[in-house]
Amino acid sequence: MTGQPVDGATVKAFPVARSEARLLVPALVFIALVVAAVASLGTPLITSVATSFHVSLGSAQWTLTVALLSGAVATPVLGRLGAGPHRRAAILATLAVVVAGSALTVLPLPFAWLLAGRAAQGVGLGLTALMMGVARDHLPEERSAAVIALISVVSVIGAGVGYPLAALLAELGGVRAAYGLGLVVTAAALLTAWRSMPEAPEGRSAHVDVAGAVVLAAALLLVLFLAGERNLWSRHLAVAAGLAVVAVVLLCLWAVIELRSTTPLVDVRAVRHPAVAGANLAMFVGGIGMYLLLTLITRYAQTPHGAGYGFGLTTFVAGLVLIPFSVLGFVAGKLTPRVRTRIADPLRLAGSAVVVGGGFALFAAARSDLAELFAAMGVLGFGVGGFSAAMPGVILAVIPRSETSSAMSFNYVVRSVGYSLGSAIGGLILAAGTGPGHLFPDDSAYTTAALVGIGAMAITTLTSLALARRRSSGTNP
């Protein structure tokens, strides 16, 4: 796939041999799946961590939050490194950090070391964009497009793979056994990368903009912290609003630094391209809606019958609810090569957003039976899979080959922020629907949250249709 740089020059691919390509493709997909699944391990283990380490649930929640934070900070830095000549070394070094972090989560060390290990595991989230860069550089055009779409999909459905396995291991052998799964698969990913990752094409250079990286890290830390600390908004609104203003100022400062830098962390000028900006907006709003429904369904499934609704599922059984999400998400990704020849990527974004909106509508109208939750989760998975598979095509159509990792890493930062806000918005709506002295929200609060999600997906659909209209007008004389 040959992208068009800003100056109009084309960049050639450096394909590997056919036999090497057969090994490269499963390696790329496996590594992307592993880092996504390991980062999500904190989700089903929060209660177990609180019990095992004798900490509050709020403190245990940081085993998930800190992985998302480190991933959001590391992603743009790794994306820039992935655009340079040392991409293979960056991939191996990052996986080594993830393996070391996985070891810290397994060893009998205090809670602070567990958090450090989870932060190291989260760094691996930045590898997804690098896997896309490798695919675009070393595979034929049509093959690379399909593989990039699949990598994008597995980076999302990885959570559905890791959740039930971690929950089962936690029930059988405790929290250390569950984290042991992460150590095994990350070690396998490191070995796979060492055996299969090719060197980057010659003639590239990529210097990391340290000042931009520091400012962006500070801004993202504030944004994701504010998204995760719902109590701060309800109890100290002025403080939360002040920190939000600081985060916005830091983001604006970062944009100025990047525009003035000769070696920017993210090519902001390329990001300002209408197609890229529109895709990132769709990813941001769509991410809010997608993760909102995911959290609503899993929380509803685990709510005990005493609340007047819910199914009181154990962590492991609730994790099984994610199986339709993963399976149908994977199916949507595999359908991409056939569909993309008939339907443009922006239109597939719009269609997928409509499907996710249908999942919200199904959840809002019918959730009295467990089968209905499975159906809603399946619809969500199919929509998220299609959306994730279409997103890279929209961006890479206007981005030079050498900027693949950097451009997609920025998109994944946008996705991470959207997911975090989706989780926070869901928590705020359910908290607002919880009566005084009640532990669980009213059932109607879930309906309200679903309606908010439908609104988010409507905005995503309209944004995607605008992208499709722009592409159509741009290709017609």
Side-chain angles (χ1 to χ4, degrees), residues 54 117 129 198 212 383 411 452 472:
H54 307 290
N411 183 256
V452 170
S472 177

Side-chain angles (χ1 to χ4, degrees), residues 435-447:
H438 290 186
L439 183 60
F440 300 100
D442 296 335
D443 185 53
S444 60
Y446 283 91
T447 303

Side-chain angles (χ1 to χ4, degrees), residues 203-238:
R204 291 184 181 177
S205 62
H207 301 283
V208 176
D209 175 17
V210 177
V214 170
V215 174
L216 180 60
L220 290 175
L221 285 170
L222 274 179
V223 169
L224 296 180
F225 172 78
L226 290 172
E229 291 295 318
R230 294 189 290 269
N231 288 336
L232 187 64
W233 289 96
S234 59
R235 298 179 182 178
H236 306 285
L237 180 59

Side-chain angles (χ1 to χ4, degrees), residues 69-80 94 122-126 220 409 413:
L69 286 173
S70 63
V73 171
T75 293
V77 175
L78 288 175
R80 176 49 58 198
T94 301
V123 171
L125 290 172
L220 290 175
S409 69
V413 170

Side-chain angles (χ1 to χ4, degrees), residues 338-348:
R338 300 178 183 178
V339 177
R340 72 188 307 268
T341 58
R342 303 175 183 177
I343 305 175
D345 292 319
L347 284 177
R348 288 194 292 122

Side-chain angles (χ1 to χ4, degrees), residues 18 89 121 125 208 219 230 246 252 364 445:
R18 185 183 299 271
Q121 287 181 325
L125 290 172
V208 176
R230 294 189 290 269
V246 172
C252 293

Side-chain angles (χ1 to χ4, degrees), residues 77-125:
V77 175
L78 288 175
R80 176 49 58 198
L81 290 174
H86 306 298
R87 181 171 61 201
R88 173 181 163 84
I91 291 171
L92 295 178
T94 301
L95 282 171
V97 170
V98 175
V99 172
S102 300
L104 288 178
T105 63
V106 176
L107 295 174
L109 298 171
F111 180 67
W113 287 101
L114 174 64
L115 289 182
R118 289 292 296 151
Q121 287 181 325
V123 171
L125 290 172

